[in-house]
Amino acid sequence: MKETLNLVASSKSFGGWQQRYSHHALSVGCEMTFSIYLPPAAEQSPVPVLYWLSGLTCTDENFVQKAGAQRVAAALGIAIVTPDTSPRGEQVPGDPEGAWDFGLGAGFYVDATEEPWNRNYRMHDYVVNELPGLIEAHFPVTKNRAISGHSMGGHGALVCALRNPGRYRSVSAFSPITHPGDCPWGRKAFTHYLGTDETLWRAWDACELIATARERLLLLVDQGQDDNFLVEQLKPEALEAACTEAGYPLTLRRQPGYDHSYYFIASFIEDHLRHHAAALLAD
């Protein structure tokens, strides 16, 4: 029996449909919301899916409203699914000090092991397993999946792909937190979600996972050179060094003048969609 989905909103866009749904998610123990863009081709036959993971403080709607991805997705015949960035609700604990970089809106796409976070903050399981199962049961899509994201979501996209060989056909990221074990945002989140044993953090750090990756998906990363978080938080040079040492295929594009905003994402989203289409639509 299919899980119940509640339609929250639906709008026609470039011949397809941009929709928003809510449902009760078992993996995170609360009501979750996601958005899905179904291109016109989905009315004729199942289409492949790109999963987009958003960054700190975002919801499922930021990408939908600001990235301008629907036009190209419609032309390519690709669905786009955008989950929320964390569990939410009165029963879900947030940062006790109300900080924006941890807790609600900042799940970091890990499966928390520490109390009280481990009861709800299991976003990796939700993104990799529960949500795709739901999408594939309810919508006209294939099991050809790709994953991408921005900032914290870029970290999530890299980790999801690296931890789950064979699950995705392609991966990309905008301004990812490449080495969370070595930046303030990541260290704060990992200490709370995963505990103080830093050896356990390696399983959720792209720079650590690259060394033992069992699959070689061509990785496309765009990074704005005028990003305020570039030096302290994002550290693309760490990812570049890890890929070079491991022989992992990376295309890292440093974009002069661009910052951390959705103006940056909107400027290059077509390149990323075409990068994924090449893998998703291949025989």
Side-chain angles (χ1 to χ4, degrees), residues 40-264:
E43 296 181 5
Q44 306 301 321
S45 60
V47 296
V49 185
L50 169 65
Y51 290 86
W52 172 272
L53 307 184
S54 295
L56 287 165
T57 74
C58 292
T59 69
D60 59 291
E61 292 191 291
N62 292 76
F63 179 85
V64 168
Q65 296 173 353
K66 297 179 179 181
Q70 290 90 344
R71 176 185 62 82
V72 181
L76 294 172
I78 295 174
I80 303 177
V81 172
T82 56
D84 202 348
T85 50
S86 80
R88 299 180 193 269
E90 293 182 2
Q91 80 281 16
V92 177
D95 190 304
E97 298 179 358
W100 61 273
D101 60 352
F102 178 73
L104 302 181
F108 271 81
Y109 304 101
V110 303
D111 286 343
T113 56
E114 301 297 299
E115 290 281 355
W117 320 106
N118 59 353
R119 292 194 292 274
N120 301 107
Y121 287 83
R122 300 187 58 80
M123 286 298 294
H124 184 81
D125 187 19
Y126 177 70
V127 166
V128 172
N129 298 308
E130 184 171 2
L131 183 58
L134 194 68
I135 298 299
E136 289 161 15
H138 285 266
F139 299 97
V141 301
T142 70
K143 292 187 177 181
N144 289 359
R145 312 175 194 95
I147 193 162
S148 186
H150 172 231
S151 194
M152 178 187 73
H155 143 76
L158 298 180
V159 169
C160 286
L162 290 166
R163 284 176 59 100
N164 298 278
R167 189 73 173 160
Y168 305 98
R169 288 197 168 196
S170 56
V171 59
S172 76
F174 286 84
S175 312
I177 301 172
T178 66
H179 197 4
D182 190 36
C183 77
W185 282 341
R187 292 186 64 83
K188 177 179 180 179
F190 283 13
T191 298
H192 285 82
Y193 292 142
L194 305 174
T196 57
D197 183 354
E198 296 186 18
T199 63
L200 301 178
W201 299 0
R202 296 172 186 167
W204 303 98
D205 188 310
C207 285
E208 301 289 349
L209 291 168
I210 285 285
T212 57
R214 293 187 285 127
E215 184 177 50
R216 293 292 193 267
L217 298 176
L218 177 60
L219 173 56
L220 173 62
V221 173
D222 270 306
Q223 174 61 62
Q225 287 296 83
D226 282 19
D227 192 317
N228 290 338
F229 305 115
L230 177 62
V231 175
E232 185 178 27
Q233 304 284 8
L234 306 179
K235 303 188 175 184
E237 69 282 353
L239 180 65
E240 189 172 43
C243 287
T244 298
E245 184 173 350
Y248 195 97
L250 167 68
T251 298
L252 173 59
R253 307 193 307 186
R254 294 176 168 89
Q255 305 289 6
Y258 287 91
D259 58 19
H260 201 69
S261 71
Y262 265 85
Y263 295 113
F264 170 48

